[in-house]
Each structure stands twice: as C-alpha cells, then as structure tokens.
Amino acid sequence: MATDNVDSPSQLDGDAISSIGKVVVVGGGTMGQGIAQAAAKRGIEILLIEKNEERLQEALSEIAEYFDHEIARWAMTESEKEATLSRIKGDVGFDGITDQLYIIETIVEDLKEKALVYKQLDQVCKPEAIFITNTSTLSITELASTTERPDRFIGMHFLNPVPKIHLVELVRGLTTSLRTFNKALALAEKLDRTAIEVFESPGYVTTRVMMPLVNEAIQVLMEGIASAEDIDTAIRLGYEFPRGPLEMADKIGLDNVLNWLDTLFHNLGDVKYRPCPLLRMLVRAGNLGLKTGQGFFRYDPEGRIIPGSGQTAAAYRRFIDTQP
C-alpha cells in the first residue's frame, strides 16, 4: 500500500503535462469514444481497444460521424477532422500497450468484467503504468483490489457528452497514491478539464446529487402532476438549468440511469434512490432515450427533441394497457 495517499495534491509543473503524448482507452462505447475525441483534439495520440474488429470499426466510424456533425454546424473544419482522426488508432488486443503509462478503462459497469480486463492489463503493462477507470458508481477501492497495482489505480469520472462537458471527478480510493493522483491531474489539465478531487463514496458528487432530482421528476410524471415538457420547462427556466431532468435522463440513457439508481440504493439504502417504477417500465420496453430515438421524448435523426413529443402519465397508462 502506498504511504503517500493521505497527503495533499502538489502543484503540477508544465513538463508533467506537456509530456503526456499517448493514452490507451479500453472500450469503444459512448464514453470511450468521447474520451478519445476529447483527447485527440488536444493533441494526444489515442489507442482505442475493443474486444473484436467489428466493434472497433463501429466505434471508429461513430467517432468520424461525430466530427462530420461538428463540421456541419461549423464547429470544426475538414482539415481539423483529418488531423484529429489521424491521432486515433484502434486495436483488438493488448499487445501494443506494453510501453504506455495511461490506461483508461471505460467498459460496462460490472465488477467481474472489469476485474477480468485488469488481470489482462496487469500482465502486459509496465509496472509504472496507472490504471484509470471511468466508473460512475463502482467502488474504486474494490476495483483497485482486483489489480496488482492498487496504489496506481484511480477513478476519472467524465460526464457525457465528454467533448462538451469540461469537468472530471478525480476519485481517490483508500490505496490511491499521491503520485497517481497527480499524474491523473496532469492528464485532466492536458485535456483542458476542470478537475475536482473526490474521496470514494457511491455516486461521487455528480451522480449522487443529480440522480434523486431525475428520479423525482420521473415520479412527478408518473403521478400525472405535469407533462414531461412542462416538468423540464419548470426546472430549466425556474433554476436556470441548460436542460430539464427528463431530457437529461434521455441523453444519459435510461438504462444507465436505472443502473446508477439501483447501485446507489443498494449501497446507501436511502429510499430517495429507489428507482421510480416508470423508469423500470421504459427500460424493459427498450425506450432508452436518445440512443433509441425514444424515452421521455422522441428524437429526430439529428438527436433533437421532436416538438410536442413529451409524454404524459395518461399516455404511459395507455401504453401499459396495450401490453399483453
């Protein structure tokens, strides 16, 4: 166990930040793609790892499509796209990461699945490499205990969409060393992210604070107090939020919201985290939000809410009545 994990973070020097040239991202899902996009735009070489060639090519294609969307809205030029994509390479194995220092894991939120990946990484990564997990709810200390380097293990919780949200939670477990924390902080600086230090607790700051708001908004909808559009309008205008809680849930993915609430409820035992039945119903029906085109709202192919598509409790009751 490290002896410096209770110290305060030190000031970073420019060399520590500028020396970051390459990062490995394990997992090409939504978060892995977002981290790869954000890092490549900041001049960092990315090696994106997926479990098979089909999933790898799908991830790389979706990254290219994201940049095309940025070009369409005049946020990026074609030459910038080409330069950024040239920094993102892909692979389906771990053979090419033996000399890398930063390993970011973004796979499914499952302790056993992650432990299997760390076991493989321990076998090929150099001793000084640090493992970074993007988990939003799992215990950093427990995840670190599945590796051979618990002192060189830390959480970096990016929020979705990663390229748009310039915040990252640096989550220290019981065994995370100060040196590891400072290396993660240097990476956050290189990525042009504002980093906050969080000591391990289920949901950290962002997930723990926001999930009860989202859950209560769903409950209000289920009780028929207001429509989805009116609930979001009330919170957006009344509290100067950029988007309402139901739209936020749709963008996160209702399956992810349900998983986070289940984990918080299991670990903290507070009923405010018990998922609303309506949320479970939508997930079981496959209405997961933006990624499926329908959640609390319906979305056009560009990911925009279709006006008037916000549902009411009566509509959900009719939906239930039509199920076999």
Side-chain angles (χ1 to χ4, degrees):
M1 181 182 297
T3 58
D4 58 352
N5 64 320
V6 295
D7 295 338
S8 299
S10 63
Q11 293 293 320
L12 297 176
D13 58 66
D15 290 340
I17 299 171
S18 61
S19 65
I20 300 172
K22 192 168 187 177
V23 170
V24 176
V25 178
V26 181
T30 300
M31 298 307 294
Q33 291 177 32
I35 294 168
Q37 292 160 11
K41 288 184 72 173
R42 294 290 296 171
I44 300 174
E45 299 287 329
I46 292 293
L47 181 59
L48 184 65
I49 307 292
E50 257 297 355
K51 60 173 59 177
N52 57 55
E53 188 65 30
E54 181 181 358
R55 294 184 64 166
L56 175 61
Q57 292 306 317
E58 182 180 344
L60 293 174
S61 176
E62 288 176 356
I63 290 172
E65 288 176 7
Y66 171 83
F67 289 141
D68 286 338
H69 178 73
E70 291 294 279
I71 291 172
R73 69 183 194 89
W74 297 76
M76 173 182 270
T77 66
E78 186 66 39
S79 60
E80 287 172 334
K81 171 193 170 183
E82 292 176 3
T84 305
L85 282 177
S86 72
R87 301 186 191 105
I88 303 176
K89 302 294 189 297
D91 204 344
V92 293
F94 295 133
D95 293 341
I97 70 173
T98 54
D99 293 329
Q100 303 308 314
L101 179 62
Y102 289 95
I103 315 294
I104 304 178
E105 169 272 308
T106 69
I107 70 167
V108 63
E109 290 282 82
D110 182 276
L111 178 63
K112 292 181 180 179
E113 290 287 334
K114 290 180 185 289
L116 288 174
V117 168
Y118 299 145
K119 183 176 181 180
Q120 297 177 66
L121 291 173
D122 268 325
Q123 294 172 353
V124 298
C125 292
K126 60 184 182 180
E128 58 268 36
I130 65 171
F131 292 173
I132 300 168
T133 180
N134 184 54
T135 183
S136 56
T137 54
L138 297 178
S139 165
I140 301 300
T141 300
E142 187 172 11
L143 289 171
S145 72
T146 68
T147 76
E148 297 176 3
R149 59 190 81 205
D151 61 317
R152 294 184 296 284
F153 194 100
I154 193 168
M156 288 187 74
H157 180 218
F158 295 88
L159 278 73
N160 188 39
V162 179
K164 306 292 185 184
I165 300 180
H166 288 249
L167 171 76
V168 62
E169 294 174 298
L170 300 185
V171 190
R172 302 178 71 172
L174 288 176
T175 55
T176 304
S177 71
L178 176 60
R179 181 173 298 175
T180 297
F181 177 86
N182 283 331
K183 286 185 179 298
L185 184 59
L187 178 58
E189 292 278 350
K190 180 75 171 182
L191 292 171
D192 192 28
R193 263 48 187 177
T194 298
I196 65 167
E197 182 179 13
V198 180
F199 290 93
E200 182 177 324
S201 179
Y204 318 136
V205 174
T206 52
T207 304
R208 184 167 176 177
V209 171
M210 290 308 300
M211 284 304 100
L213 172 63
V214 170
N215 202 40
E216 191 63 23
I218 301 171
Q219 185 71 32
V220 168
L221 176 62
M222 188 180 74
E223 293 176 11
I225 296 171
S227 69
E229 289 173 333
D230 285 346
I231 291 168
D232 271 15
T233 298
I235 301 303
R236 190 175 64 251
L237 298 182
Y239 294 95
E240 297 185 349
F241 279 31
R243 61 179 60 89
L246 298 178
E247 181 186 354
M248 184 188 305
D250 274 353
K251 290 185 180 299
I252 292 171
L254 302 190
D255 52 339
N256 291 326
V257 172
L258 178 59
N259 180 60
W260 295 349
L261 284 167
D262 273 333
T263 301
L264 289 166
F265 184 48
H266 174 76
N267 283 283
L268 299 174
D270 194 318
V271 294
K272 68 186 176 186
Y273 299 112
R274 184 170 60 197
C276 176
L278 176 56
L279 175 62
R280 290 194 187 278
M281 184 186 74
L282 289 174
V283 172
R284 288 168 181 162
N287 295 341
L288 307 181
L290 177 60
K291 59 187 172 184
T292 62
Q294 183 168 349
F296 296 109
F297 302 92
R298 287 186 291 113
Y299 296 84
D300 66 19
E302 297 298 318
R304 296 172 297 214
I305 292 177
I306 297 173
S309 68
Q311 297 297 309
T312 64
Y316 287 121
R317 283 195 289 271
R318 288 195 298 272
F319 174 81
I320 294 171
D321 291 341
T322 63
Q323 301 307 298

